[in-house]
Amino acid sequence: MGNQPRVVVIGAGIVGCSLADELTERGWTDVTVLEQGPLFATGGSTSHAPGLVFQANPCRTMTRFAAYTAAKYRGLDLDGGWCFQSLGGLEVAGSAARWDEVERRHGWLTSWGVESHLIGPDECAELHPLVDPARILGGLHIPTDGLAKPVRAAEAQARRAMARGARFLPGQRVVSVERGGGRVTAVVTEQDRFPADVVISCVGMWGPRIGALVDLDVPLVPMAHQYAKTGPVAAIAGRNDERTEAGLPILRHQDGDLYFREHVDRIGIGYYGHHPLPIDAADIRAPGQTAEMPSIEPFTAADFQPGWEEAVSLLPALADTEVVEGINGLFSFTPDGMPLLGEHPDLRGFWLAEAVWITHSAGVARAMAQWLVDGQPAESLHSCDLNRFEPVQRSPEYVHARSCRSFVEVYDILHPLEPGQEPRPMRTSPFYERQQELGAEFLEAAGWERPHWYAANAGLPEVEEVPARGDWASRFWSPIAGAEALVTRKRVALFDMTPLKRLEVTGPGALEFLQWLTTNQLAKKPGSVTYTLSLDAAGGVRSDLTVARLSEQRFQVGANGNLDLAWMRRQLPDDGRVQVRDITGGTCCIGVWGPLARALVQPLTSTDFSHEGFGFFKNKRAFVGGVPVTAMRLSYVGELGWELYTDADQGRRLWDALWDAGQQHGIIAAGRSAFNSLRLEKGYRSWGADMTTEHDPFEAGVGFAVRMDKDFLGRDALQRREARRRLSPLLIKDRETVVMGSEPVHAGGAPVGYVTSAAYGYSIGESIAYAWLPSALAVPGNAVEIEYFGEKVPAVVAEEPLFDPEMKRLRS
């Protein structure tokens, strides 16, 4: 392709226009933007979007997208007309539960570097005089939030792109995408053919249609969302003219599923409280087929009535007017409410940037441009990556049900551990029925039912040793989990590790392939197990892996999810010397951990499981209780034990053999909640939470898994990086305070970092929070404060690991 690939962007909504601007700014000027409708009011979601830009989000990446969007659009104008006004955002709390949520949101913004302020009811009314202060407990004010003119912002960016050489063509409906040799080669419309090296679909609610042209299921559902305008409101008449248009902050009343913005002397009201109104992407009308734009459905007044009543209650001045116009506007929802960004897993050069709201549009475009031009974006996009979904999560039934749920939950107060709803169960391990018999409390991740604790353990005396915790941290938790952690340290426990992704890498080129993709030395004899990292070209941690060499040409890789599978398949050589296969569904795994693990397992096998005969980080084939297993001596809870892998059809037999033999040892089944506590006591990192591509191995504390004396992807960049921050353990002085993650950390009266993972350490009797801190502050003994529900909680930087620093238990 050379330095000037031929780029075709499908869709001239705000995402396509932003992307063309960002690409051409970086020197990719051979850009053609194809739009089926007119320019620039194309008839898609951009054309009717009310334009609110709110930055508060529990996801750091999404907040950074929004912050960049606000900053960029603030600097745009179109023929002297504004594209963005920094009116500020105001989120009001009408209940105690919402006030707690507002305090958490203030914490997120502080963690992610966005200014915000918690204010009282009267201050809210000063900012927005229509708000009745008697109806609220207070609010969150974000000064840099604001209001965009989406069509203007789109055109302003398109003009900049065109000045650099891009072209925008209206009336070009895409009918096919040509490909050859596993790559995209051209885009064909009803009128013309456009050769292409890179194609990016930015068509929003039409995404499934374009995906179908390249055999890609795009997991999004177009959903109607109600937006109405009142008649004139006397209280704001004369405040603004058509040029300035708005002066009041954009307002959200999430208890009522409502948001508000000014339209000169009228108020626009968005409402999420109605039932989901999905539509099939195939049924969306084309531009010109109706008097209304394709993204607008008829307003259903009955659905809006509860929202109107709540709006009048919060803004009493609305009682003197009425709804005079409204729409049911279509835009995209996904199963987890996040965008769909990335490259087609099976077609090189075909990319998506879909399900992107105005709030995040410029930020997404910048990240996509960085990804395409530079090879990787500055932000970690793992939570937005198209390939994050497992195959079972791409079924039409699942996508429809979960996307509708995403709509319902837009303004809900969601706990970070709150499991997905229907459809469940979808993925269960071979131990599922046994776990049900033990009263497992299941949460869900990646479609898997995962036990977090077991009611059968409620009678353990250790339950009484577990301290109480606050209301928020008590949700989706039980003191039983603490007892399970303590018993694991005392005796032995079974952990279901089946949901962890397992890949098989085989072939004569397997070792060379894995050596290049990972940082540690894998050229070891069969029977070895190695903890290693996979980096991107910039030296950031894209995953951590456990690689077991089972034979000369066969490796089993313990991975983090579907992104690892997609990444490895993308890197496969063309000569067929390496194969990568997902074996998760056909296999299962039990973690057998605790000081009595050997006493349990050894009588069940003729294979030597002694420390001398089966060393740490080794693997063996064996029969345990008559079941063929691959045993790996490693432990993410910091105790003696093994991971025992077998085929799924043998899983029940393996569980029963271990369970029956373990009765004399006081065996228990333990859940994910205990596991998380145990792994934090040992300082074991969780990729995606504790470290991402934004961090290098040395600052993340996993530099021991890097061998700079071998060649690997990201090595050159790693040599140039300087660690200016550290992932550090904090111990919280108040035993009842258990934080949940994403809270800001303060030192010297200023925010200096944020929490990644947290749990109570039952073995050490203290509350643990891992956090990113500047290197100068990441010194054991330093005092810091964690902001939790608006309060500053004292904590201290600790030495790691917090438990068994000499590693005697692991190597016993």
Side-chain angles (χ1 to χ4, degrees), residues 287-307:
Q289 290 183 344
T290 175
E292 290 279 14
M293 64 180 72
S295 60
I296 290 181
E297 294 288 308
F299 186 64
T300 50
D303 290 322
F304 192 77
Q305 187 58 32

Side-chain angles (χ1 to χ4, degrees), residues 192-411:
D192 209 341
R193 178 182 179 275
F194 300 89
D197 303 302
V198 175
V199 176
I200 311 105
S201 177
C202 303
V203 299
M205 62 188 184
W206 285 284
R209 281 192 188 180
I210 299 299
L213 300 178
V214 290
D215 304 316
L216 180 67
D217 295 324
V218 177
L220 69 78
V221 175
M223 205 87 64
H225 161 58
Q226 292 195 298
Y227 189 77
K229 294 180 183 178
T230 70
V233 179
I236 60 172
R239 285 176 56 96
N240 302 289
D241 58 26
E242 287 290 342
R243 183 174 179 80
T244 57
E245 186 160 325
L248 297 177
I250 52 177
L251 174 66
R252 288 207 284 189
H253 174 40
Q254 290 163 300
D255 282 320
D257 291 306
L258 293 163
Y259 64 82
F260 306 86
R261 59 153 290 188
E262 278 180 281
H263 291 279
V264 190
D265 62 347
R266 302 166 187 247
I267 294 292
I269 307 170
Y271 183 48
Y272 285 106
H274 57 84
H275 61 94
L277 299 168
I279 185 171
D280 193 305
D283 295 333
I284 302 174
R285 297 160 296 179
Q289 290 183 344
T290 175
E292 290 279 14
M293 64 180 72
S295 60
I296 290 181
E297 294 288 308
F299 186 64
T300 50
D303 290 322
F304 192 77
Q305 187 58 32
W308 173 249
E309 293 171 3
E310 184 65 26
V312 172
S313 176
L314 180 68
L315 309 179
L318 299 186
D320 297 328
T321 184
E322 62 183 355
V323 172
V324 297
E325 61 178 293
I327 63 169
N328 284 11
L330 296 176
F331 65 136
S332 303
F333 278 82
T334 61
D336 58 4
M338 298 292 281
L340 302 172
L341 313 178
E343 190 174 17
H344 192 310
D346 301 312
L347 180 60
R348 291 184 181 273
F350 188 92
W351 295 71
L352 274 77
E354 307 288 25
V356 180
W357 293 7
I358 303 299
T359 298
H360 309 110
S361 52
V364 164
R366 178 179 65 168
M368 292 296 295
Q370 292 169 337
W371 204 348
L372 287 160
V373 178
D374 304 329
Q376 63 275 322
E379 284 86 16
S380 173
L381 301 187
H382 67 278
S383 59
C384 311
D385 195 303
L386 165 70
N387 296 301
R388 66 188 181 271
F389 296 108
E390 295 287 328
V392 71
Q393 296 175 300
R394 304 184 81 101
S395 71
E397 295 80 6
Y398 178 91
V399 171
H400 184 272
R402 288 292 175 94
S403 296
C404 286
R405 187 69 191 175
S406 292
F407 178 89
V408 171
E409 293 177 343
V410 164
Y411 281 173

